[in-house]
Amino acid sequence: LQALGHSKARIKRHLRAAEKFYLIAISNIATTDFHSIDAVRKSMVRFIETSWAEGDGVDLAKDAIFGTAMLLEVPSKSFTDSWTLVKRWERHELPSQAPPSSPEEAMALAGLAAKEGKFGLAFAILLAFECYLRTGEWIRLVPEQVEFADRGLVVDLGETKGTARRGGKDLSLIHI
C-alpha cells in the first residue's frame, strides 16, 4: 500500500538506496545488529553519518530511509533520528539542482552591467553572489535594505522563503 502513488522509477531508486544501506551496514558486522527495528534505525543513523562524511548527496540518505521503511513495512516517520540528521544535512548543503555561479561569472556579469552604466544592477549581482540570494530576493532588494556598517554591509532580506518556514528575520553580514 505504501508504494501506491509512487512511480516505478522512484520505488526503484528507494530500493537501490536501501540496498546500499544494507550492504554497507553488513560490511560492518561488529556494529550491525538487525534483530530489532531499533537496531536498524541506529544503523541508518551510522549510514547517514558515513554518507555525509564521504560526500554523498542528501538524496541518498532520504531514499535509503524511504526504501528501508518500505521493505520493513514501517512508516518512514519512525526513523526520527535519521530524519533529524537529514534536516541538518539539508541546512548545510547547497542545492545540487542550482549550483552557484563562480566568482568569475559573477564579476563578468557585474562588469557588463557596470559598463552599461547600470551600477545598481552590478551591485545587486555581486551582493546576490556573496550572500547566495535567491533570484526573487535580489530582484526585490531596495537600497533601504542595505546598511553600511563599520567593516562591511548588513543586508536585511526581510521575509524570505527560509524565514517563512522557520520564522524570524534573514540578515546577511558581508565583511569588507
Side-chain angles (χ1 to χ4, degrees):
L1 192 58
Q2 280 187 18
L4 293 176
H6 296 291
S7 70
K8 288 181 183 179
R10 185 176 184 183
I11 292 169
K12 193 174 183 178
R13 192 181 72 228
H14 291 335
L15 294 178
R16 271 196 313 267
E19 179 182 30
K20 184 172 183 178
F21 156 65
Y22 177 74
L23 292 173
I24 288 172
I26 64 167
S27 70
N28 194 0
I29 296 292
T31 59
T32 302
D33 168 26
F34 284 138
H35 291 95
S36 71
I37 187 66
D38 285 334
V40 174
R41 288 184 189 116
K42 287 177 185 172
S43 291
M44 182 62 74
V45 166
R46 285 193 301 270
F47 171 76
I48 292 170
E49 291 280 5
T50 302
S51 297
W52 160 266
E54 291 179 359
D56 291 324
V58 70
D59 287 340
L60 173 66
K62 292 192 272 190
D63 289 341
I65 296 168
F66 283 127
T68 302
M70 189 183 310
L71 290 170
L72 297 176
E73 298 179 346
V74 297
S76 62
K77 291 178 186 178
S78 68
F79 287 83
T80 52
D81 292 341
S82 297
W83 285 119
T84 299
L85 289 179
V86 165
K87 293 296 177 203
R88 225 176 266 159
W89 187 344
E90 287 177 325
R91 277 190 299 248
H92 296 295
E93 182 177 88
L94 291 174
S96 59
Q97 73 274 13
S101 300
S102 70
E104 295 80 13
E105 291 169 326
M107 291 295 285
L109 207 54
L112 185 60
K115 184 179 175 185
E116 296 293 318
K118 299 178 180 178
F119 299 106
L121 178 59
F123 178 75
I125 290 168
L126 294 174
L127 193 63
F129 175 79
E130 182 65 29
C131 298
Y132 293 102
L133 300 182
R134 294 179 179 92
T135 305
E137 292 169 350
W138 73 269
I139 287 176
R140 286 190 304 271
L141 200 62
V142 294
E144 292 79 28
Q145 291 174 272
V146 181
E147 183 180 318
F148 289 89
D150 290 339
R151 287 185 241 142
L153 301 172
V154 177
V155 182
D156 180 358
L157 298 173
E159 188 171 316
T160 64
K161 190 174 177 181
T163 61
R165 281 190 229 128
R166 68 179 182 279
K169 245 182 154 181
D170 218 343
L171 294 173
S172 289
L173 177 62
I174 302 170
H175 294 283
I176 299 176

